[in-house]
Amino acid sequence: MKKGFIFDLDGVITDTAKYHFIAWRDLGTEIGVDVDLKFNEQLKGISRMDSLDRILAHGGKENDFTLDQKEALAAKKNTHYVELLQSLTPADLLPGVKEFLDQASTKGVPCAIASASKNAPFILEKLGVKDQFAGIVDPATLHKGKPDPEIFIKAAELLNIQPEEAVGFEDAQAGIDGIKACNMYAVGVLSGEPLHGADLTCHELTELNMDELLQK
Ligand code: B16
Ligand code: MG
């Protein structure tokens, strides 16, 4: 019997990848690196600084900037990204998310967020669902990003349950790998690329039967 649900944010609760893409693409234009939609796929679930490192490596510019300069670039991208997030409303929740959270609340099943995004609390506020989460892991406290299981273990701790008592929802392979590395049941939310190792996959949460999930 499962006792809690742990959600990734981008790609599971809402699609912020399109805003990350615009902000990284524009920063890339400034520094002479072409960031296209295909390459953007590689940035999903990856932290802000790791994303910048991948972009610089992609453009052969990994040795062109000091740490201070890289921090300034990451901050600039984030300022643009946060501007784009201002237009988010509850209508930007992915299909079935609101209904799933409401059903979990009715059944007394607590939910937590395990997202690499430092903007997660702000995004959840804009989406009107922040109060439906008993816990949000602060990614600044993590030693390792996904695929390390640390973020999912911390999310289970916030819910006062063991990782194996939770169901984790992820749209990125690194996230599925992190969930499985701590023996959590993994639901893969598909958006094109296949997800390897997930216990169950769906295209949207409307396809899921909560009672069956809780029995896993
Ligand atoms: P921020 P997730 C991730 O969200 C995004 O997929 C990834 O593209 C982004 O770089 C990362 O959050 C950090 O976001 O710059 O807002 O701190 O999929 O882990 O919910
Ligand atoms: Mg994601």
Side-chain angles (χ1 to χ4, degrees):
M1 183 77 187
K2 301 301 182 194
K3 297 180 178 170
F5 294 128
I6 294 174
F7 298 88
D8 174 52
L9 179 62
D10 177 26
V12 173
I13 300 287
T14 190
D15 176 22
T16 40
K18 59 190 178 211
Y19 302 121
H20 282 295
F21 169 64
I22 294 168
W24 282 129
R25 181 200 61 196
D26 289 3
L27 187 84
T29 303
E30 276 184 43
I31 60 174
V33 180
D34 181 31
V35 176
D36 61 14
L37 270 173
K38 186 164 181 280
F39 177 73
N40 191 58
E41 286 297 309
Q42 294 181 33
L43 306 179
K44 288 187 175 175
I46 305 297
S47 76
R48 196 180 306 163
M49 199 41 101
D50 288 348
S51 298
L52 178 60
D53 283 336
R54 284 194 187 200
I55 288 167
L56 294 177
H58 179 63
K61 293 184 183 289
E62 56 271 55
N63 298 318
D64 290 12
F65 298 95
T66 64
L67 186 55
D68 281 354
Q69 287 172 323
K70 286 204 303 182
E71 276 168 2
L73 290 173
K76 186 169 191 178
K77 177 267 175 179
N78 191 56
T79 301
H80 186 188
Y81 175 61
V82 171
E83 275 167 25
L84 298 169
L85 292 177
Q86 300 300 326
S87 64
L88 279 182
T89 73
D92 291 298
L93 285 166
L94 286 170
V97 171
K98 179 69 183 146
E99 294 75 8
F100 196 94
L101 294 174
D102 286 346
Q103 205 186 342
S105 166
T106 303
K107 290 180 185 291
V109 183
C111 298
I113 290 284
S115 165
S117 177
K118 293 178 177 165
N119 295 297
F122 174 67
I123 294 168
L124 293 169
E125 192 85 57
K126 295 289 283 180
L127 296 170
V129 292
K130 186 158 173 266
D131 292 347
Q132 287 179 275
F133 293 95
I136 301 170
V137 177
D138 178 358
T141 64
L142 301 174
H143 299 97
K144 289 183 176 175
K146 301 168 188 177
D148 192 276
E150 184 181 13
I151 192 168
F152 297 103
I153 293 169
K154 285 208 163 162
E157 276 170 19
L158 290 177
L159 299 181
N160 293 312
I161 61 176
Q162 298 299 314
E164 53 271 29
E165 293 176 318
V167 176
F169 299 80
E170 257 291 350
D171 70 312
Q173 188 62 51
I176 296 290
D177 294 344
I179 291 172
K180 292 316 299 172
C182 61
N183 291 320
M184 200 176 277
Y185 187 88
V187 177
V189 182
L190 299 165
S191 62
E193 301 297 307
L195 290 171
H196 304 287
D199 295 295
L200 182 73
T201 56
C202 63
H203 290 89
E204 48 186 60
L205 299 193
T206 50
E207 295 162 32
L208 301 173
N209 179 311
M210 190 175 293
D211 289 327
E212 280 177 18
L213 263 185
L214 291 170
Q215 295 303 326
K216 298 289 182 189

